[in-house]
Amino acid sequence: MSEAPERRTRGRTSRSRLRALDAYLVHAERPLLERQDGPWDEAAFLDVGFGEHPWTTLESAEAFRALNPRLRVIGVEADAGRAAAAAPHAAAHTHFRHGGFGWAREAGQPVRLVRAMNILRQYRPEEAAAAHAELGEALLPGGLLVEGSTDGPGGITVAYLLRREAGGLHREALLFHTDFHQGFAPLLFRDWLPVDWRRRLARGSALHAFFEAWTAAWTEARAHGASTPEAGFLQGAQRLAHTCPGVSPEPWLWERGYLRWQPPGGVPRPG
Ligand SMILES: C[S@@+](CC[C@H](N)C(=O)[O-])C[C@H]1O[C@@H](n2cnc3c(N)ncnc32)[C@H](O)[C@@H]1O
């Protein structure tokens, strides 16, 4: 992965694409974003692969600084031209750097949160585990790596939440979000699964079983009168939480189109 900065990939991004993720992190990871004791004082939010324009980095900086005004925010890009083009947007605690997944370790920069959204879609599924390990290397204990995909406008999101623990990165959860612009059915998320799962949702796999349970719960909710996409999502999630271990039972999430699946023992690996 250390040669990644040489790899030329598409850089498309759009404003607001990662807003739903920002809102989730502000809600669910407040202590992580706020911490300032010891090494946490210097610990950055790292946005790896911010793309052609640094919009999403700047939007997240604004959202997270509502909790931690001095938060160090660093956008990292493998494409030197994109990193240079972002430089005019640098500010007191906001920086843009040319580099790859290992930038923070190489720079000796402690990190609390790493985001790598819409990056690994352009990689091979077999590269995901090594990419996660490298992306997570500079995280302080308890720090979080968020890696996944969205559709173009950011109305559909699926992301891994991988937590730095003593023994390495724990595959803590999968987070799903939709703004319902395409209606809703659980399999809406299939095309936006992280790259290691996307084409491996084979019958018999743990994730396939999860989607079957979610589809059954959503179908029952609709049969019991949930007539809008939003109601189907919420009431389906409520039913699923009763039958499927690890579905977060938080109404705050369901009411806003989020579902977090945190299976005991961690998110299974494909294959
Ligand atoms: C599709 S853009 C994603 C932009 C933004 N994160 C978003 O979600 O809209 C992918 C970007 O990741 C960058 N990238 C790919 N591999 C990378 C790596 N190993 N390290 C840093 N950036 C990388 C590419 O240069 C590209 O600009």
Side-chain angles (χ1 to χ4, degrees), residues 146-167:
V146 180
E147 185 279 309
S149 299
T150 70
D151 65 349
I156 303 172
T157 301
V158 186
Y160 273 127
L161 306 177
L162 306 177
R163 185 83 55 183
R164 180 92 210 162
E165 291 185 350

Side-chain angles (χ1 to χ4, degrees), residues 1 4-5 7-14 17-18 47-53 56 76-79 82 99-101 115-119 122-123 135 150 152:
M1 281 304 139
R7 185 193 297 229
R8 176 91 196 163
T9 51
R10 290 190 307 276
R12 263 177 303 172
T13 184
S14 56
R17 188 182 199 181
L18 304 179
D47 191 17
V48 178
F50 55 82
E52 267 176 346
H53 307 281
T56 55
V76 173
E77 242 306 326
D79 184 301
R82 292 173 196 155
F101 296 160
R115 181 177 69 193
M117 287 302 291
N118 298 304
I119 314 299
Q122 301 172 29
Y123 284 66
L135 283 162
T150 70

Side-chain angles (χ1 to χ4, degrees), residues 2 10 41 57 84 89 124 128 131 136 154 181 183 236 253 257 262 271:
S2 45
R10 290 190 307 276
D41 189 41
T57 313
H89 296 277
R124 293 192 306 276
H181 75 289
L253 297 178
Q262 195 165 343

